[in-house]
Structures are given as C-alpha cells and as structure tokens.
Amino acid sequence: QVQLVESGGGLVQAGGSLKLSCAASGRTFGNKPMGWFRQAPGKERELVAAISSGGSTYYADSVKGRFTISRDNVKNTVFLQMNSLEPEDTAVYYCAAASSYGFLNRASTYNYWGQGTQVTVSS
C-alpha cells in the first residue's frame, strides 16, 4: 500500500519560515515526479512546486523566490522549504507523487496523495 506522509506544518508569523517533509512508502518514486499542492478554504487545489527525478523544478508564480523544493531519492522523500511566508500562503499542503512520467506543471501528472498538513500564517 502506497503512503505519503507529510510533516512540518504549523502556525508561523508572516515573514517566517517552515519546512515541510513528505516520506513515501510502499513503492519507490525516485525516478518519477513529486510535488506539493495546497488548498485554501473556498479555493481550488493548486500546484505549488514540483521536482523531477533529475532535479528539474517547477514553481507557481506566487511562490517563486520564496519556496524551494528538493528531494532525496534514496530516502524516497520530498521537501518544501518555505521562506518569507505570507498570510495568503495559509492552506492545507498536500504531497503528491506520480506513478509514471509526465509534465511537472500539470496536476493530472500526480496520482498519489498525502493526507495534508495545515500551514497557517498570521499577519
């Protein structure tokens, strides 16, 4: 059974930082895309950042220059370093992984999902 387990969410003041981690088990995603989505109340889920097995990355315009995605293919883990957080970043953040190759910036690429971790940024 494939599981993606996120950790690292929490409450932080605007301008602060958080680092999210996602550990995958049940299969290896070392050569497939992995990413982070978020969903704020009343809004659709959006792709925030993604990374290929070779290290190519995609970022939503809203987080470019503030968020950094990375991965450890040996440990089957993906990370999201979030700096200069803003209240607009408040959302549930979901880890995602793909079972086959696809475009990093397309939500349809990803077919495995974690349960989500809450990130709240206070003003």
Short mmCIF file of all heavy atoms in Angstrom, two decimals, residues 45-78:
data_model
loop_
_atom_site.label_atom_id
_atom_site.label_comp_id
_atom_site.label_asym_id
_atom_site.label_seq_id
_atom_site.Cartn_x
_atom_site.Cartn_y
_atom_site.Cartn_z
N ARG A 45 -7.64 23.33 -5.29
CA ARG A 45 -6.29 22.87 -5.02
C ARG A 45 -5.38 23.35 -6.14
O ARG A 45 -5.72 23.26 -7.32
CB ARG A 45 -6.27 21.34 -4.93
CG ARG A 45 -4.95 20.76 -4.48
CD ARG A 45 -5.02 19.26 -4.30
NE ARG A 45 -5.97 18.89 -3.26
CZ ARG A 45 -6.08 17.66 -2.76
NH1 ARG A 45 -5.30 16.69 -3.23
NH2 ARG A 45 -6.96 17.39 -1.83
N GLU A 46 -4.21 23.86 -5.79
CA GLU A 46 -3.28 24.36 -6.79
C GLU A 46 -1.90 23.74 -6.60
O GLU A 46 -1.47 23.46 -5.48
CB GLU A 46 -3.16 25.89 -6.71
CG GLU A 46 -2.58 26.41 -5.42
CD GLU A 46 -2.26 27.90 -5.45
OE1 GLU A 46 -2.13 28.47 -6.56
OE2 GLU A 46 -2.13 28.50 -4.37
N LEU A 47 -1.22 23.55 -7.72
CA LEU A 47 0.15 23.04 -7.69
C LEU A 47 1.09 24.17 -7.29
O LEU A 47 1.11 25.22 -7.92
CB LEU A 47 0.52 22.49 -9.06
CG LEU A 47 1.94 21.97 -9.23
CD1 LEU A 47 2.25 20.85 -8.25
CD2 LEU A 47 2.16 21.50 -10.67
N VAL A 48 1.86 23.94 -6.25
CA VAL A 48 2.77 24.95 -5.72
C VAL A 48 4.18 24.76 -6.28
O VAL A 48 4.81 25.71 -6.72
CB VAL A 48 2.79 24.89 -4.18
CG1 VAL A 48 3.84 25.84 -3.62
CG2 VAL A 48 1.42 25.20 -3.61
N ALA A 49 4.66 23.53 -6.22
CA ALA A 49 6.02 23.25 -6.67
C ALA A 49 6.13 21.78 -7.02
O ALA A 49 5.41 20.94 -6.47
CB ALA A 49 7.04 23.60 -5.58
N ALA A 50 7.04 21.47 -7.94
CA ALA A 50 7.24 20.08 -8.35
C ALA A 50 8.70 19.88 -8.73
O ALA A 50 9.40 20.83 -9.08
CB ALA A 50 6.32 19.72 -9.50
N ILE A 51 9.12 18.60 -8.67
CA ILE A 51 10.51 18.29 -8.98
C ILE A 51 10.60 16.95 -9.67
O ILE A 51 9.90 16.00 -9.31
CB ILE A 51 11.36 18.32 -7.67
CG1 ILE A 51 12.84 18.15 -7.99
CG2 ILE A 51 10.87 17.28 -6.67
CD1 ILE A 51 13.74 18.48 -6.78
N SER A 52 11.46 16.90 -10.68
CA SER A 52 11.67 15.65 -11.39
C SER A 52 12.74 14.84 -10.68
O SER A 52 13.41 15.32 -9.76
CB SER A 52 12.10 15.93 -12.82
OG SER A 52 13.42 16.45 -12.84
N SER A 53 12.94 13.62 -11.13
CA SER A 53 13.96 12.78 -10.53
C SER A 53 15.35 13.36 -10.75
O SER A 53 16.24 13.19 -9.92
CB SER A 53 13.90 11.37 -11.13
OG SER A 53 14.10 11.43 -12.53
N GLY A 54 15.52 14.09 -11.83
CA GLY A 54 16.81 14.69 -12.14
C GLY A 54 17.04 16.05 -11.53
O GLY A 54 18.11 16.64 -11.70
N GLY A 55 16.03 16.57 -10.84
CA GLY A 55 16.19 17.84 -10.15
C GLY A 55 15.58 19.04 -10.86
O GLY A 55 15.67 20.16 -10.34
N SER A 56 14.96 18.84 -12.03
CA SER A 56 14.26 19.96 -12.66
C SER A 56 13.08 20.35 -11.79
O SER A 56 12.44 19.49 -11.18
CB SER A 56 13.77 19.56 -14.05
OG SER A 56 14.86 19.25 -14.88
N THR A 57 12.80 21.66 -11.73
CA THR A 57 11.75 22.13 -10.83
C THR A 57 10.74 23.01 -11.54
O THR A 57 11.02 23.59 -12.60
CB THR A 57 12.35 22.93 -9.66
OG1 THR A 57 13.12 24.02 -10.18
CG2 THR A 57 13.22 22.05 -8.78
N TYR A 58 9.58 23.08 -10.94
CA TYR A 58 8.51 23.99 -11.35
C TYR A 58 7.99 24.69 -10.11
O TYR A 58 7.85 24.06 -9.05
CB TYR A 58 7.36 23.22 -12.01
CG TYR A 58 6.09 24.04 -12.07
CD1 TYR A 58 5.88 24.96 -13.09
CD2 TYR A 58 5.12 23.92 -11.07
CE1 TYR A 58 4.73 25.74 -13.11
CE2 TYR A 58 3.98 24.69 -11.09
CZ TYR A 58 3.79 25.59 -12.11
OH TYR A 58 2.66 26.36 -12.14
N TYR A 59 7.70 25.98 -10.23
CA TYR A 59 7.11 26.74 -9.12
C TYR A 59 5.95 27.58 -9.65
O TYR A 59 6.04 28.17 -10.74
CB TYR A 59 8.14 27.69 -8.49
CG TYR A 59 9.27 26.98 -7.80
CD1 TYR A 59 10.50 26.79 -8.42
CD2 TYR A 59 9.12 26.49 -6.50
CE1 TYR A 59 11.54 26.13 -7.79
CE2 TYR A 59 10.16 25.84 -5.85
CZ TYR A 59 11.36 25.66 -6.51
OH TYR A 59 12.39 25.01 -5.88
N ALA A 60 4.91 27.66 -8.87
CA ALA A 60 3.85 28.60 -9.17
C ALA A 60 4.41 30.01 -9.02
O ALA A 60 5.30 30.27 -8.20
CB ALA A 60 2.68 28.39 -8.21
N ASP A 61 3.88 30.94 -9.83
CA ASP A 61 4.39 32.31 -9.79
C ASP A 61 4.30 32.91 -8.39
O ASP A 61 5.16 33.70 -7.99
CB ASP A 61 3.60 33.18 -10.77
CG ASP A 61 3.94 32.88 -12.22
OD1 ASP A 61 4.99 32.25 -12.47
OD2 ASP A 61 3.15 33.27 -13.10
N SER A 62 3.27 32.54 -7.65
CA SER A 62 3.03 33.13 -6.34
C SER A 62 4.09 32.76 -5.30
O SER A 62 4.19 33.41 -4.26
CB SER A 62 1.65 32.72 -5.83
OG SER A 62 1.54 31.32 -5.74
N VAL A 63 4.88 31.72 -5.57
CA VAL A 63 5.86 31.28 -4.57
C VAL A 63 7.30 31.36 -5.08
O VAL A 63 8.24 31.08 -4.32
CB VAL A 63 5.57 29.85 -4.08
CG1 VAL A 63 4.13 29.74 -3.59
CG2 VAL A 63 5.85 28.81 -5.17
N LYS A 64 7.48 31.74 -6.34
CA LYS A 64 8.84 31.82 -6.89
C LYS A 64 9.70 32.76 -6.06
O LYS A 64 9.28 33.85 -5.70
CB LYS A 64 8.79 32.30 -8.34
CG LYS A 64 8.41 31.24 -9.33
CD LYS A 64 8.41 31.78 -10.75
CE LYS A 64 8.00 30.72 -11.75
NZ LYS A 64 7.91 31.26 -13.12
N GLY A 65 10.91 32.32 -5.77
CA GLY A 65 11.83 33.12 -4.98
C GLY A 65 11.65 32.99 -3.48
O GLY A 65 12.49 33.46 -2.71
N ARG A 66 10.57 32.34 -3.05
CA ARG A 66 10.32 32.17 -1.61
C ARG A 66 10.34 30.71 -1.19
O ARG A 66 10.76 30.39 -0.09
CB ARG A 66 8.96 32.78 -1.24
CG ARG A 66 8.84 34.26 -1.54
CD ARG A 66 7.55 34.83 -0.98
NE ARG A 66 6.35 34.24 -1.55
CZ ARG A 66 5.42 33.61 -0.84
NH1 ARG A 66 5.55 33.50 0.46
NH2 ARG A 66 4.35 33.10 -1.44
N PHE A 67 9.86 29.82 -2.06
CA PHE A 67 9.79 28.39 -1.75
C PHE A 67 10.85 27.65 -2.55
O PHE A 67 11.17 28.01 -3.69
CB PHE A 67 8.43 27.82 -2.13
CG PHE A 67 7.27 28.28 -1.27
CD1 PHE A 67 7.41 29.33 -0.35
CD2 PHE A 67 6.05 27.65 -1.36
CE1 PHE A 67 6.35 29.74 0.43
CE2 PHE A 67 4.97 28.04 -0.58
CZ PHE A 67 5.13 29.10 0.31
N THR A 68 11.38 26.57 -1.94
CA THR A 68 12.33 25.71 -2.62
C THR A 68 11.95 24.25 -2.40
O THR A 68 11.79 23.81 -1.26
CB THR A 68 13.75 25.94 -2.10
OG1 THR A 68 14.12 27.31 -2.27
CG2 THR A 68 14.75 25.06 -2.85
N ILE A 69 11.81 23.53 -3.50
CA ILE A 69 11.50 22.11 -3.41
C ILE A 69 12.78 21.31 -3.63
O ILE A 69 13.65 21.69 -4.43
CB ILE A 69 10.42 21.71 -4.44
CG1 ILE A 69 9.95 20.27 -4.19
CG2 ILE A 69 10.91 21.90 -5.87
CD1 ILE A 69 8.72 19.88 -5.00
N SER A 70 12.91 20.22 -2.89
CA SER A 70 14.06 19.34 -3.05
C SER A 70 13.62 17.90 -2.75
O SER A 70 12.51 17.69 -2.25
CB SER A 70 15.20 19.75 -2.12
OG SER A 70 14.80 19.71 -0.76
N ARG A 71 14.49 16.96 -3.06
CA ARG A 71 14.12 15.57 -2.82
C ARG A 71 15.36 14.75 -2.50
O ARG A 71 16.47 15.10 -2.89
CB ARG A 71 13.39 14.98 -4.01
CG ARG A 71 14.21 14.87 -5.27
CD ARG A 71 13.34 14.49 -6.47
NE ARG A 71 12.78 13.16 -6.36
CZ ARG A 71 11.82 12.69 -7.15
NH1 ARG A 71 11.31 13.47 -8.10
NH2 ARG A 71 11.37 11.46 -7.00
N ASP A 72 15.12 13.65 -1.80
CA ASP A 72 16.16 12.67 -1.50
C ASP A 72 15.66 11.36 -2.10
O ASP A 72 14.78 10.70 -1.52
CB ASP A 72 16.36 12.55 0.01
CG ASP A 72 17.49 11.61 0.38
OD1 ASP A 72 17.75 10.64 -0.37
OD2 ASP A 72 18.11 11.83 1.43
N ASN A 73 16.18 11.01 -3.25
CA ASN A 73 15.68 9.83 -3.96
C ASN A 73 15.99 8.54 -3.21
O ASN A 73 15.23 7.56 -3.32
CB ASN A 73 16.27 9.77 -5.37
CG ASN A 73 15.73 10.87 -6.26
OD1 ASN A 73 14.64 11.38 -6.03
ND2 ASN A 73 16.50 11.25 -7.26
N VAL A 74 17.05 8.52 -2.47
CA VAL A 74 17.40 7.32 -1.70
C VAL A 74 16.39 7.10 -0.58
O VAL A 74 15.96 5.98 -0.32
CB VAL A 74 18.83 7.43 -1.14
CG1 VAL A 74 19.14 6.25 -0.22
CG2 VAL A 74 19.84 7.51 -2.27
N LYS A 75 16.01 8.20 0.08
CA LYS A 75 15.07 8.09 1.20
C LYS A 75 13.62 8.23 0.76
O LYS A 75 12.73 8.21 1.62
CB LYS A 75 15.41 9.16 2.25
CG LYS A 75 16.77 8.97 2.90
CD LYS A 75 17.02 10.00 3.99
CE LYS A 75 18.35 9.76 4.68
NZ LYS A 75 18.61 10.77 5.74
N ASN A 76 13.40 8.39 -0.55
CA ASN A 76 12.02 8.46 -1.05
C ASN A 76 11.24 9.60 -0.39
O ASN A 76 10.08 9.43 0.02
CB ASN A 76 11.30 7.12 -0.79
CG ASN A 76 10.48 6.66 -1.98
OD1 ASN A 76 10.60 7.14 -3.09
ND2 ASN A 76 9.60 5.70 -1.70
N THR A 77 11.91 10.74 -0.27
CA THR A 77 11.36 11.87 0.47
C THR A 77 11.45 13.14 -0.36
O THR A 77 12.42 13.33 -1.11
CB THR A 77 12.14 12.04 1.79
OG1 THR A 77 12.05 10.83 2.55
CG2 THR A 77 11.57 13.19 2.61
N VAL A 78 10.44 14.01 -0.21
CA VAL A 78 10.46 15.31 -0.87
C VAL A 78 10.23 16.38 0.19
O VAL A 78 9.53 16.14 1.18
CB VAL A 78 9.39 15.38 -1.99
CG1 VAL A 78 8.00 15.24 -1.44
CG2 VAL A 78 9.55 16.63 -2.81
#
